[in-house]
Structures are given as C-alpha cells and as structure tokens.
C-alpha cells in the first residue's frame, strides 16, 4: 500500500509499505480522508519534535521512520482477535490518542494526560496511507447521516471543544480568539454554539477573518488590533509569545486565557498577571469529545468541514499539502484522500 512516511525534516516520502494485519484488540481502517495538522507541519519542516527516533513509543512500539497523519477517518477493513462492536464496512472516526489504561490519569478518566501520551500518526503509524491499523478504543462508529468529510475534521474539532470545556465558558461572555487557523476557527464555531455573547476573531489573513464571520464571529480584527480589556475569555491558538501577550492584554481583570497553541519558552509580565488576577489555562488534546461532536453533526447539522479549503491525493501530499501550507495563509485545512 502507499503511505507518506517521515524519514526526517523535509524528508517525507510517499512510498510502498507492507500492509499490516490487525493484531489482538486492533482494527484495520481503509482511510477515506486524513487532514494535515500544524503538528505535522512542524515535524515536516524541522522535526523531530514528537516523533520518537531513538526509542520506540511505549504504546505503539514504533519509532521513525513512520507514517504521518492523526486526523483521519474511514471504513473498517478488518478486525483483530478480541474486537467487538465493529465489523468490516463500518464508517468510523478515529480518536488517535494512545492510552495505557493503567496509570493514575487514565484511571481518573483523563486519558489525554496518560503517562504514555501520544498520537497515532506522530508516535505511531497513522492515516496518511491507504490503510491504518489502530487500537479499537480509538474508533467511533458514525451514524448514517454523518459523512466521512465531516468526520475528517472531528480530530481538530475535538481539540477546540476540549479547550472550550477547559475554559469554563459562561453564557453571554465575550470571547476573543487569537489565531484563526483550523483550531481557532473551530473554537469560534463552538464558542458561539455554547453560548458566548460575542466572539471576536483576530488574524492577519482577510480570508480567515471572513470565514470566522461566517462561523459566527461578531467582529474580526487584524493581528495586534484587539482592544484592551474587552474579553472575559481569550483563546491563544498560534503558539507565540506575542499572541499570548495580546490575549492577556485583551482580557479583562479577573479573566481567563486558554493556551491552545504549541510554542516554546515565553516571557510574560507576571506582575501584571497577578495584579489583574488573570488565569492562564493550558489545554492539550481532548478526552470524551468525539461523541458530542458526532451528536452535533448528526442531530444539529453543524458543519465542521466548512474550514476545509482543499482535498489532495496522497501522492501529492508534500507539494500540494505540506509545502503549500507552509507558504500561504490562503489554505486553511487540507485533507488528503488516499
């Protein structure tokens, strides 16, 4: 089968790999779509960041070179020994979190904080391939009225939903979203759904600002133009020191900032943070979000796929996927169709 395999920075090769049969507790999925995530771009541009190179990941048993792609969906091709609840032909969304099921955080239901935290497609073989083999606990069967095009976006939507839940969003609050990439746009959409009184989007791209308005933002501004103290709650969806400080400046005294972007070491004004009694809330991955997203798509008709701007074939994933996303802000979410 064909797969996009990470060998090193700027070295992703679409090549023939031997398909693997599902083992005990595993399912083989014929991939319909796989999105390209910002994490994938980081690994392509200057990785490894999360990809294990020297030692295999403890849950997947895999190290580089490995198949990228953690935002995927498809249909069940085969089930391994001991798997129940799934059969060939079932349409499924993949929730690609690895979990050990034994550590204290897993026992508490916080499996996104598992001691063996990781994702299929970063710490193990993923969905930028014709088929992917994953643990059955990663799968969610889709209702007949939820198309696979919607399921392809459930993974980033789960990141956004977990962040909204972590934020403690209250009905009527004013929300600022800084960074209108896929995660930020989905935060806009979900914040509106869960009762925000007003959502303000902030991004340098006119295209992304226009889409934020379509998704329910009451106002949109260019980068660095958020007024001071206007928000009860702000979401940082870039992963940069400047945008974190923009969020803090835009948030009222006693307000909250949710950090969704992945960045390095940031300098903040801790004196102002304390004096304003603001809170910075970190949010990583997601847990128990996919059932709600499936319900929103199935019962309420929410269109998460509205952020998709291109669908490209697997053989062109480097040129039309990674390189295009690195070099333009006009693309937002690119799906790959193996």
């Amino acid at each position: 089968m064909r797969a996009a395999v990470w060998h090193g920075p700027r070295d992703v090769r679409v090549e023939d790999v031997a398909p693997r049969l599902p083992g005990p507790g595993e399912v083989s999925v014929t991939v319909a779509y796989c999105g390209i995530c910002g994490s994938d771009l980081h690994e392509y541009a200057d990785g490894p960041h999360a990809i294990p190179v020297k030692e295999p990941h403890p849950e997947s048993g895999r190290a580089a070179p490995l198949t990228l792609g953690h935002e995927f969906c498809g249909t069940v091709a085969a089930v391994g020994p001991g798997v129940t609840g799934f059969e060939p032909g079932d349409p499924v969304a993949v929730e690609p979190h690895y979990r050990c099921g034994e550590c204290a955080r897993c026992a508490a239901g916080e499996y996104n904080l598992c001691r063996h935290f990781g994702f299929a497609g970063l710490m193990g073989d993923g969905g930028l391939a014709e088929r992917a083999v994953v643990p059955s606990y990663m799968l969610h069967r889709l209702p007949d009225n939820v198309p696979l095009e919607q399921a392809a976006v459930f993974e980033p939507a789960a990141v956004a939903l977990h962040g909204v839940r972590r934020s403690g969003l209250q009905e009527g609050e004013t929300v600022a979203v800084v960074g209108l990439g896929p995660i930020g746009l989905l935060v806009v959409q979900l914040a509106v759904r869960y009762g925000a009184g007003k959502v303000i989007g902030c991004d340098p791209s006119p295209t992304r600002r226009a889409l934020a308005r379509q998704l329910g933002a009451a106002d949109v501004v260019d980068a660095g133009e958020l007024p001071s103290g206007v928000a009860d709650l702000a979401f940082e969806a870039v992963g940069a020191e400047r945008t974190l400080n923009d969020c803090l400046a835009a948030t009222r005294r006693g307000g909250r900032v949710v950090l969704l972007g992945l960045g390095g070491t940031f300098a903040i004004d801790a004196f102002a943070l304390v004096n304003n009694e603001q809170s910075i809330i970190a949010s990583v991955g997601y847990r128990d979000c996919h059932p709600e997203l499936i319900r929103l798509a199935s019962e309420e008709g929410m269109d998460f796929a509205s952020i998709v701007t291109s669908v490209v074939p697997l053989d062109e994933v480097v040129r039309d996927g990674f390189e295009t996303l690195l070099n333009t802000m006009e693309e937002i979410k690119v799906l790959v169709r193996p």
Side-chain angles (χ1 to χ4, degrees):
M1 69 174 187
R2 302 288 281 170
V5 180
W6 187 93
H7 290 267
R10 301 280 176 168
D11 186 9
V12 171
R13 309 172 200 171
V14 180
E15 56 194 25
D16 291 316
V17 301
R20 185 168 75 82
L21 294 175
E26 294 182 325
V27 176
S28 176
V29 176
T30 300
V31 179
Y33 298 97
C34 183
I36 298 176
C37 175
S39 299
D40 299 324
L41 287 179
H42 285 302
E43 298 293 349
Y44 171 74
D46 52 19
H49 299 286
I51 292 174
V53 174
K54 295 182 180 178
E55 304 235 348
H57 186 270
E59 287 301 312
S60 72
R62 296 284 290 116
L66 54 77
T67 301
L68 289 174
H70 58 280
E71 299 181 357
F72 63 105
C73 63
T75 55
V76 172
V79 299
V83 173
T84 59
F86 297 99
E87 57 185 37
D90 284 346
V92 291
V94 178
E95 179 182 356
H97 260 309
Y98 288 116
R99 62 195 82 163
C100 73
E102 299 173 350
C103 69
R105 299 277 50 85
C106 281
E110 299 171 345
Y111 58 83
N112 63 315
L113 303 178
C114 174
R115 61 181 175 175
H116 295 161
F117 173 84
F119 295 87
L122 287 171
M123 291 80 160
D125 291 311
L128 280 175
E130 292 176 321
R131 285 196 181 183
V133 175
V134 296
S136 62
Y137 63 71
M138 291 184 176
L139 300 187
H140 296 269
R141 197 188 186 287
L142 298 172
D144 292 339
N145 67 338
V146 176
L148 288 166
E149 292 89 339
Q150 289 291 328
V153 192
F154 283 167
E155 199 279 342
V159 174
L161 178 56
H162 184 62
V164 170
R165 288 175 171 176
R166 292 273 297 154
S167 75
L169 173 65
Q170 300 296 308
E171 188 170 352
E173 287 191 313
T174 296
V175 175
V177 182
V178 179
L180 299 175
I183 301 299
L185 288 166
L186 290 163
V187 168
V188 169
Q189 187 177 24
L190 288 163
V192 171
R193 164 60 184 78
Y194 288 106
K198 179 180 182 181
V199 177
I200 307 168
C202 178
D203 196 276
S205 165
T207 300
R208 296 179 181 216
R209 295 199 299 268
L211 183 50
R213 277 198 181 276
Q214 293 176 31
L215 293 174
D219 197 5
V220 292
V221 297
D222 202 344
E225 292 187 359
L226 271 172
S228 297
V230 294
D232 301 292
L233 167 65
F235 291 86
E236 199 286 339
V238 178
E241 179 181 308
R242 174 185 53 80
T243 46
L244 174 57
N245 282 303
D246 286 348
C247 284
L248 289 166
T251 304
R252 63 166 172 82
R253 295 169 65 88
R256 294 106 62 210
V257 172
V258 178
L259 187 57
L260 288 170
L262 297 175
T265 301
F266 299 160
I268 62 172
D269 185 344
F271 188 80
L273 184 72
V274 171
N275 277 352
N276 290 327
E277 202 174 75
Q278 293 169 308
S279 300
I280 297 177
I281 302 165
S283 180
V284 64
Y286 36 79
R287 56 178 180 261
D288 305 318
C289 289
H290 279 67
E292 172 67 353
L293 295 169
I294 292 170
R295 187 195 69 79
L296 290 172
S298 175
E299 298 179 14
E300 299 189 18
M302 285 190 69
D303 180 13
F304 298 107
S306 58
I307 67 168
V308 175
T309 47
S310 291
V311 179
V312 304
L314 180 63
D315 281 342
E316 306 303 330
V317 66
V318 173
R319 184 191 68 189
D320 296 341
F322 294 120
E323 286 293 335
T324 297
L325 285 165
L326 286 173
N327 290 295
T328 179
M329 292 189 70
E330 298 310 301
E331 290 285 0
I332 299 172
K333 175 57 65 182
V334 173
L335 299 184
V336 178
R337 184 163 47 200

